[in-house]
Amino acid sequence: MPAMHFELRWPDATQTRCYSPSLVIKDYFQPGTSYPLPQFMTQVREALNIASERVRAKFGFACSSAMDQLAQLEQIAQRFETVPSALVQVVAFHA
């Protein structure tokens, strides 16, 4: 199963390199595009859950790395929940 990394830029200009055990992230995001925080979080939750389930289908267990990544993103996103019009930019995909 091809894994990938994707890079994000948060509203405070910090960047995070993220992991997905599947290329499904490419179905949800475009590099160089900024997403409103609520939309980004909805889409990344769905994408990482699908990625984890693909691992389960192939190996018989969910991907804890995908779920750990999602937990990290949830924690970072909390910092910006009160920022009006907060945007998250998907900077790049890395193989």
Side-chain angles (χ1 to χ4, degrees), residues 2-95:
M4 67 173 293
H5 288 89
F6 56 104
E7 193 170 338
L8 305 175
R9 182 173 295 120
W10 296 95
D12 65 356
T14 59
Q15 292 193 195
T16 304
R17 184 174 172 97
C18 304
Y19 170 80
S20 172
S22 165
L23 301 179
V24 71
I25 293 295
K26 290 183 175 184
D27 295 339
Y28 286 80
F29 301 106
Q30 294 295 318
T33 303
S34 294
Y35 300 86
L37 180 63
Q39 176 188 348
F40 172 79
M41 290 309 298
T42 297
Q43 289 177 214
V44 80
R45 283 181 198 110
E46 187 171 333
L48 288 174
N49 277 299
I50 289 169
S52 181
E53 287 305 310
R54 287 182 179 178
V55 170
R56 182 189 309 277
K58 185 169 183 171
F59 299 107
F61 51 86
C63 181
S64 61
S65 294
M67 295 299 91
D68 289 346
Q69 181 63 77
L70 180 55
Q72 179 193 28
L73 294 175
E74 297 276 7
Q75 184 176 20
I76 294 170
Q78 285 181 349
R79 297 189 335 229
F80 306 107
E81 286 179 346
T82 61
V83 176
S85 305
L87 297 173
V88 180
Q89 181 183 33
V90 177
V91 176
F93 294 142
H94 304 285

